[in-house]
Amino acid sequence: MRQTVFNAALEQAEQLFAAAANVDYAARPILAFYGLSQAGRAIAAAATGQDKNAWQLKGHGIEVPNLGQEPPLSDLVLQDDGKGGSFTTLARFLSSASLEKPVEFPFLWNCIPELVSSSIGATDYDFRVLRLYLSGAMQGMNLIGWVGSVPDRFLEATHAEVSEYLAKYPGLAGAQLIEDLSSSPAAAFRPTDDGRRIVSVARSWPAPDGYDIEAFVRGRRRRYLRDDAHWVFPAPPGADTDIHPLIAWWGVLFALSMLSRYHPASWLRHLDVSSQSTAVPLELALDAALEVCPQLILDGILEVSQ
């Protein structure tokens, strides 16, 4: 039965994504989310080590409790529905945090590498996907690295404030302030290979066994597409585990699909490029979803079936 569900759900997902690519942004979130939702059923069917019933997904498992108030996008709130549906079950299968506590929409948006540089609004829980840069340089018995793309406000922060912020990233566990830099600014602009300048902080970690840098990285980052970048993802409010990028995409597309389906006039206003700052970022997100999510789905299948 699992094989049958896997094949059927994946076929439906492919057709829904194809349909999403052939409609404009007014209807695309609905088709894109349901493409991802059906793919979630395929991922669950492929999950080894689960009992005979857990892989059969039921319900969304996530909600937008303030959707009916039609708030600004940045004020939309997402949370588990407490019923153990698709969202929470897949989060468990992917070793991801879920959303046991409410979180504002920009948090999930900022957990997606393609979207984090396109602001959709501010949030009090200002954590986002970061990049870990490791050159293999050592200082004594410590490995030296840079954590890039931290918020600009840390240019004026203390080292203690930076350390408190980084503590929400399980992939950065054990990060230490480099003693030689203790009297330097906590964060600074640093150039990247593609010519950009991003706000970064320097940190060190105890050297891994055998100085195996690749093993050190594999144990700390979430795989994202075929990208060699070392992305690290934050933990949602109240969680000790970071969020999986596919789960972040799920939350973003669910919120947009619910808004476009149940409040179509409001959704079309958000897409008005002549009056709304959200319009271009939303178009970017819906284009990126059709390119990125199928690749993440494949990675998810491979991840849960090992």
Side-chain angles (χ1 to χ4, degrees), residues 34 49 109 206 211-212 258 261 288:
Y34 281 101
W109 179 280
Y211 297 94
D212 189 341
M258 294 292 283
R261 182 179 179 187

Side-chain angles (χ1 to χ4, degrees), residues 44-180:
T48 57
Q50 305 300 328
D51 66 44
K52 61 183 180 181
N53 294 317
W55 64 273
Q56 300 183 59
L57 303 183
K58 297 179 181 179
H60 288 310
I62 185 175
E63 60 185 3
V64 187
N66 65 340
L67 183 67
Q69 302 170 23
E70 298 187 56
L73 270 179
S74 59
D75 291 341
L76 283 177
V77 171
L78 291 95
Q79 186 176 14
D80 297 352
D81 66 9
K83 300 176 182 177
S86 299
F87 181 80
T88 52
T89 302
L90 279 175
R92 177 163 55 86
F93 288 178
L94 293 168
S95 301
S96 171
S98 188
L99 299 178
E100 295 183 10
K101 293 188 176 181
V103 68
E104 292 174 329
F105 179 73
F107 167 74
L108 294 170
W109 179 280
N110 291 337
C111 287
I112 297 173
E114 289 82 4
L115 307 186
V116 65
S117 61
S118 301
S119 176
I120 203 71
T123 174
D124 291 336
Y125 196 74
D126 187 21
F127 295 87
R128 76 269 307 267
V129 61
L130 302 179
R131 286 187 65 173
L132 176 60
Y133 296 86
L134 295 170
S135 65
M138 302 289 295
Q139 183 183 61
M141 298 298 292
N142 288 340
L143 177 67
I144 304 299
W146 287 85
V147 181
S149 300
V150 299
D152 290 356
R153 70 175 185 275
F154 286 108
L155 291 168
E156 305 295 333
T158 65
H159 286 290
E161 289 169 335
V162 170
S163 295
E164 182 180 5
Y165 184 83
L166 298 183
K168 290 298 294 183
Y169 292 81
L172 299 178
Q176 303 170 1
L177 175 63
I178 301 173
E179 292 185 7
D180 291 352

Side-chain angles (χ1 to χ4, degrees), residues 2 179 199 211 217 278 291:
R2 281 195 187 212
E179 292 185 7
V199 180
Y211 297 94
V217 171
T278 56
E291 178 180 352

